[in-house]
Amino acid sequence: HSSPDESEDQDLISGFLRIVDKVWFLSFFFFFFLLIIIFGFNELVGIMCLVLFFQNHIIYCHIVTGGSNHANDRNKWAFSFNVCDLRSITVKCEGWSCITFRLKDGTALPAIHFHQGGSTAFLDSLRKLVQINDILHSIISLSNQKFKKDPYTTTLGGFSKVTNYLFDAFRVPELEYHQRPAEEVADLLGEIIPGLEINQQEEPGFEVITRLDLGPRPEVQRRGPVAMEEWAKYQDSEGRITNVPHLKDVIFKGGLCHAVRREAWKFLLGYFPWNSTHEERKLLQKRKTDEYFRMKLQWKSVSEEQEKRNSRLRDYRSLIEKDVNRTDRNNKFYEGLDNPGLILLHDILMTYCMFDFDLGYVQGMSDLLSPILFVMENEVDAFWCFVSFMDEMHENFEEQMQGMKTQLVQLSTLLRLLALPLCTFLCLCGFTEAQDSGYLYFCFRWLLIRFKRELHFQDVLRLWEVMWTRLPCQNFHLLVCCAILDSEKQKIMDRKYGFNEILKHINELSMKLDIEEILIKSEAICMQIKNCKDLPHSVSEILGLNTVTEPSAALETSEYGILESPQTSPRSTHRQDHVISNGHSHLKESTHNGCKVAFIS
Amino acid sequence: MSGGAELGFTEHLFKVLVIGDHKVGKTSFVKRYVKNQFYEELKTTIGVDFSMKVIDWDSHTRVRLQLWDIAGQERLRGLNRVFFKRSSGALVVYDMTNGSTLDGALNWKHELDSQVMLKNGRPIPAVLLANKCDETKVCRRNASLLEKLCQEKGFIGWFQTSAKENINVDEAAKFLVKHILQNNEESVKEEEQNMQINLKQQSKSNSTCC
């Protein structure tokens, strides 16, 4: 990017790099690189060809393919210059290498980002043509600067850790193109940081960094589900639930036996207050029953004539009818043609339209109701429990899908902390193109209906009751996503999956996931994060961890600027923008660091 | 999207989108095509479902079709655009028993064209499928209307299909694959031509430099 503040949007242009010898015109294929330039909004994929003429002293940058109307826009990034005009080549390491040419008249050409490696090979070839003198060896001071600014690596100070970071950052982009042997990676690094020793045995790959930052991931034990007798012990003679925090804790740790669910879910979902007595609950249920049937009567009593003039109601009804016929039909409760379960599912969803006509019915909601109705086996109770669950899930289904977008952005913030190499890898696969929500889009179904389609029916019940305890932190379901991705990241990166393959791979995890294993890992990740002292503000915000406001917290906020600014409402549109700008400014920030300048003599 | 050639044998991998309104039979169509089965009670698609179909096109060509069955509901659509990327062709489905889904199909086509195109800037090949034809009678007027629509909206063709009765399912897919293969060949040729032009340009500039 010639100037970071030229425009808000960034885009990627992929291409090749070639060095062409003038006499034989042989072109050496160098590796793909992705050129991030600040650009328009549209997806513009062009192929840039950089042709370097040896002794002709011409570096010629050519764009080969068309394919869109933006050829003119792209052409403005083409350049050519005389090698004798070249003053310096700047090589920066920001997870991948980035080369900038600076001319003697002071012009800086657009930066070329070698997302998939190859910069060293390019420089080697250039070295054969011209003499390049390295003038800057004080990489360490520069790197340390980086760690001060980088919220995820603030704890790093020592020299060896710097090595780790760069080792890590450098290695991932290489994975996609071709796996480099470790020695070669070390060579590459050695070139970036002269005089640096890399101990490969002790520090293989990116794991080192995450562990160094976050500390070890604790061992987590789960227990068996809460049985009826145990549940009964928590009730006093009038039916109030005592010692709620402890009860929630055991539910979080082991879930519930199926027999307990019908009662316990009503408390977990907030339909029954924990401190209510049997009597109070009876009254509440009576009142809620009346309220339910009042709303049910509203749609039941709409005549055909009326419905003809009410397109929204008609649309909701038709969607519900179609979806009810396609929800969990292999479950005993909903199978067969005239199963009463189907009628209940339909009626509750129709009544929910009356309860919240603005939202009405959106695809996916039947998936959320089905397990609740299955457990309650009662129309009214199931409705009110569903209402509570929908309070939480509402935003996922709203017109602009703000809830989904927010969650995807929050997830990416967490992943940056937990699996930075995976994030880098995903960026290279093109997941950055739809910058807001395209990123991590493969988690869409997970988030929209809370893993309902990913797990076996019984496992969904377990996961949901565990999440409804609200333990051990806010947005625990995002850590569940992280846990699954953590288990899959190596596969994704080793197999060098592209955009399509990743989506397919994640989609096909459905029904192959082990719920207990996932819960153990998610909890361990949560504890690991909680144990981390220098947690980025954005992460503690998402997980609701910073209950204590210390003066240092305020300082931290100002230091990170917009990126880490505390958010009041997760519904606000700004939140998303902020976190996204987080990503970018982070990127831009790091461009100031870890760089090596080479001058040509 | 095409694989390497070995002893004259070529393997292609194509991504094909299956799009259209809610409940027009996209998933049923895919299941029939891939597994030759019809399921009365399929789940609503959320996001996207994947299927793979391997076709031995001729003695030296194998085609792997990656079918992307995309959720049809309006509200989920905005985000689903991400799935359009790098696709080679599309099956745009509507339900013959529900007229409004034809309008929906045209909207989908429009959206498709605004999101993806071939390297040469042309729209990716798309076939219009009038599904559930077993449930309705075919009339001539309908046929001429569809013919006209295809030309106006840039579909390469249309088929009356029934996933349930297995009518025209293979035929429609085959028709699409044929066009994808043609496009593929053309783009390979175009690229070769481009390369030649570039080489010429380069040698010209080279000579002037000397």
Side-chain angles (χ1 to χ4, degrees), chain A residues 177-273:
Chain A
Y177 192 75
H178 60 145
Q179 199 114 28
R180 280 173 183 275
E183 323 82 64
E184 205 179 320
V185 177
D187 286 349
L188 290 173
L189 269 177
E191 210 177 295
I192 286 184
I193 311 168
L196 195 66
E197 272 182 29
I198 295 158
N199 185 342
Q200 288 150 31
Q201 269 68 48
E202 286 172 26
E203 293 145 0
F206 56 88
E207 290 287 321
V208 182
I209 283 301
T210 24
R211 288 200 186 127
L212 266 177
D213 282 344
L214 283 174
R217 193 171 286 170
E219 287 274 318
V220 165
Q221 297 289 324
R222 282 187 59 79
R223 48 156 279 166
V226 177
M228 208 40 153
E229 311 83 64
E230 198 181 351
W231 169 261
K233 281 183 201 155
Y234 283 90
Q235 291 196 32
D236 68 13
S237 55
E238 287 179 299
R240 292 185 196 88
I241 311 290
T242 57
N243 201 355
V244 179
H246 188 264
L247 176 60
K248 279 187 180 171
D249 209 49
V250 289
I251 297 174
F252 174 76
K253 277 290 186 185
L256 296 159
C257 284
H258 194 71
V260 191
R261 283 188 175 130
R262 192 174 310 168
E263 192 176 352
W265 278 26
K266 291 171 193 156
F267 291 94
L268 285 172
L269 280 165
Y271 174 36
F272 287 170

Side-chain angles (χ1 to χ4, degrees), chain A residues 41-161:
Chain A
F41 186 73
N42 292 326
E43 175 189 335
L44 304 169
V45 179
I47 295 182
M48 257 191 162
C49 181
L50 188 82
V51 190
L52 188 76
F53 288 87
F54 163 49
Q55 285 182 341
N56 274 343
H57 310 302
I58 301 284
I59 286 181
Y60 176 55
C61 179
H62 181 63
I63 293 152
V64 176
T65 59
S68 81
N69 310 325
H70 300 271
N72 287 339
D73 283 346
R74 249 187 282 118
N75 278 334
K76 77 180 176 194
W77 299 102
F79 57 79
S80 65
F81 59 86
N82 226 314
V83 167
C84 58
D85 290 336
L86 192 60
R87 181 165 171 263
S88 70
I89 299 170
T90 310
V91 184
K92 294 175 186 174
C93 186
E94 47 186 38
W96 51 84
S97 300
C98 162
I99 291 184
T100 320
F101 297 105
R102 195 173 287 273
L103 303 185
K104 281 182 179 163
D105 63 1
T107 322
L109 294 163
I112 295 154
H113 294 254
F114 291 74
H115 285 262
Q116 290 159 12
S119 63
T120 325
F122 171 71
L123 289 173
D124 280 347
S125 307
L126 193 61
R127 233 177 238 115
K128 286 177 197 150
L129 311 177
V130 285
Q131 196 189 341
I132 300 173
N133 294 339
D134 298 348
I135 61 143
L136 195 67
H137 293 270
S138 53
I139 186 85
I140 308 307
S141 60
L142 279 166
S143 299
N144 280 341
Q145 215 180 341
K146 171 183 194 125
F147 292 116
K148 267 179 206 151
K149 289 189 179 174
D150 186 341
Y152 305 129
T153 41
T154 23
T155 49
L156 299 189
F159 182 68
S160 66
K161 290 167 189 169

Side-chain angles (χ1 to χ4, degrees), chain B residues 34-52:
Chain B
V34 174
K35 296 188 176 169
N36 198 17
Q37 273 173 349
F38 183 76
Y39 306 84
E40 287 284 352
E41 287 149 2
L42 282 169
K43 284 187 176 182
T44 313
T45 309
I46 303 275
V48 63
D49 283 335
F50 298 87
S51 304
M52 180 73 96

